Amino acid sequence: LAALKLKRARLKSAFDSADADQSGSISKQELWDCMQELQYKFTREEVAAMAEEADTDGDGSIDFEEFSYLLNSKFKGEFRARVEPP
């Protein structure tokens, strides 16, 4: 149970970081900005496709539950910086 709470807290922290305008949802642009900041090498088209897949209710944005699905399905639960070691 403690591990599940920790994972949810990490997901919420990642969501809050990506939700730059603090609207309670993430736009395609915010998802793109987050991917760029973490140095993922996705194209805009790939990020748009991820956003569309995650947006299960079709409202054009990604809420926390949809974000959780995205992270669990594409990133095994967490965003990680993609910085190459020196």
Side-chain angles (χ1 to χ4, degrees):
L1 185 61
L4 185 58
K5 285 183 180 182
L6 179 60
K7 182 176 182 179
R8 188 160 179 85
R10 286 183 179 161
L11 285 170
K12 182 66 172 133
S13 178
F15 178 84
D16 290 344
S17 293
D19 182 16
D21 65 2
Q22 302 299 301
S23 66
S25 63
I26 298 170
S27 67
K28 287 180 186 177
Q29 183 62 49
E30 287 172 320
L31 184 60
W32 170 255
D33 292 344
C34 182
M35 296 291 186
Q36 294 300 296
E37 183 178 320
L38 294 173
Q39 299 183 358
Y40 281 93
K41 303 295 183 199
F42 295 114
T43 65
R44 281 195 179 270
E45 292 80 17
E46 289 170 323
V47 173
M50 277 187 249
E52 287 178 25
E53 180 182 341
D55 181 21
T56 58
D57 63 8
D59 69 354
S61 62
I62 302 167
D63 64 26
F64 177 69
E65 294 305 320
E66 293 167 333
F67 183 77
S68 297
Y69 164 79
L70 175 66
L71 260 61
N72 285 319
S73 66
K74 301 288 185 192
F75 299 94
K76 296 184 176 41
E78 293 187 43
F79 278 131
R80 296 180 192 268
R82 293 292 198 200
V83 178
E84 296 294 321

